[in-house]
Amino acid sequence: MSQETWTAVDAYFNDLLVEEDAALRAAVSDADAAGLPAIHVAPNQGKLLNLLARMRGARTVLEIGTLAGYSTIWLARALPEDGRVVSLEADEQCAALAAANVARAGLDHVVDIRLGKALDILPRLVEDGEGPFDLVFIDADKPSNPAYLEWALRLTRPGSVIVGDNVVREGAVTDPGSPDPRVQGVRRFTELIAAHPRLTATTLQTVGEKGYDGFTLALVTD
């Protein structure tokens, strides 16, 4: 199988099942125009996040890594009118662009984008009692994934869902000696999940227009 086939299959199912409207398409085109890396989730992955939040009956979502707000829009659209997405973004350009994209989608009353390093903001969320969140989406710098997981556990409750993106790294995750700190971050993240008594989880490999990768889905049980 080839990247061409994976992309064609994504296109087939997306055309039938994924409602990517003008606001979502504009978020991607604006990110491209701003020179941001094309690391946002694919349309079918955005729809998956939306469905997970709806299945959970989520009212509150914590997103670690906003980029241009594409996944943020998908998540916010899963929530009731009085729901809330708190999205953390370290890059000022990304945060500003995401805010504009969210506003254009008519979701700025639901989404609260916090500018700053997530590891600085997460302790304040705990101190301010802003949890618990029903769903946490971790999609930022991979070396910090283990720390993000620890904070996510402090900001969730039994029944909450934690999703970690880009965990397969084109198969590099299987190499214990990898010099890539992103691979090592994902490996430690996975090991912590496996050992944690409050979590049950699985990881799925994915192929598609974004290439070969995967995500981890964890349920907080206690």
Side-chain angles (χ1 to χ4, degrees):
M1 292 297 175
S2 66
Q3 180 62 58
E4 182 179 357
T5 300
W6 299 342
T7 300
V9 170
D10 263 7
Y12 168 75
F13 284 109
N14 287 345
D15 285 347
L16 291 171
L17 302 175
V18 179
E19 306 85 13
E20 192 184 36
D21 64 4
L24 288 165
R25 291 192 296 271
V28 173
S29 63
D30 284 359
D32 291 342
L36 298 185
I39 55 175
H40 55 82
V41 300
N44 53 350
Q45 295 166 343
K47 181 66 175 288
L48 175 64
L49 291 172
N50 178 278
L51 290 174
L52 288 172
R54 291 169 64 185
M55 290 172 183
R56 171 60 185 82
R59 303 182 68 86
T60 56
V61 171
L62 173 62
E63 180 181 47
I64 303 175
T66 316
L67 198 61
Y70 184 80
S71 56
T72 317
I73 293 170
W74 276 111
L75 287 163
R77 285 179 170 173
L79 305 186
E81 278 296 308
D82 61 347
R84 181 174 62 123
V85 176
V86 176
S87 189
L88 314 183
E89 176 53 54
D91 184 272
E92 187 172 359
Q93 179 191 17
C94 290
L97 184 57
N101 287 331
V102 165
R104 179 170 48 209
L107 294 165
D108 46 339
H109 65 293
V110 177
V111 176
D112 179 5
I113 297 172
R114 309 277 180 96
L115 175 62
K117 294 181 178 180
L119 292 179
D120 293 333
I121 299 173
L122 289 164
R124 295 201 294 268
L125 294 180
V126 173
E127 291 169 7
D128 295 342
E130 296 203 40
F133 292 91
D134 298 316
L135 187 148
V136 178
F137 180 44
I138 300 174
D139 190 19
D141 58 307
K142 307 313 171 194
S144 297
N145 267 17
Y148 294 152
L149 176 66
E150 294 297 337
W151 285 109
L153 284 164
R154 297 183 65 178
L155 287 160
T156 50
R157 58 186 166 192
S160 294
V161 175
I162 300 173
V163 182
D165 199 15
N166 307 125
V167 298
V168 172
R169 316 300 307 175
E170 296 186 330
V173 72
T174 62
D175 180 6
S178 172
D180 188 336
R182 296 168 297 181
V183 171
Q184 293 301 331
V186 168
R187 286 179 62 88
R188 182 59 182 152
F189 171 76
T190 308
E191 291 161 2
L192 288 170
I193 290 174
H196 206 289
R198 293 181 57 209
L199 293 172
T200 183
T202 192
T203 294
L204 296 178
Q205 301 180 75
T206 60
V207 296
E209 66 177 71
K210 292 292 186 177
Y212 172 38
D213 214 323
F215 65 91
T216 294
L217 180 63
L219 177 68
V220 180
T221 60
D222 190 11

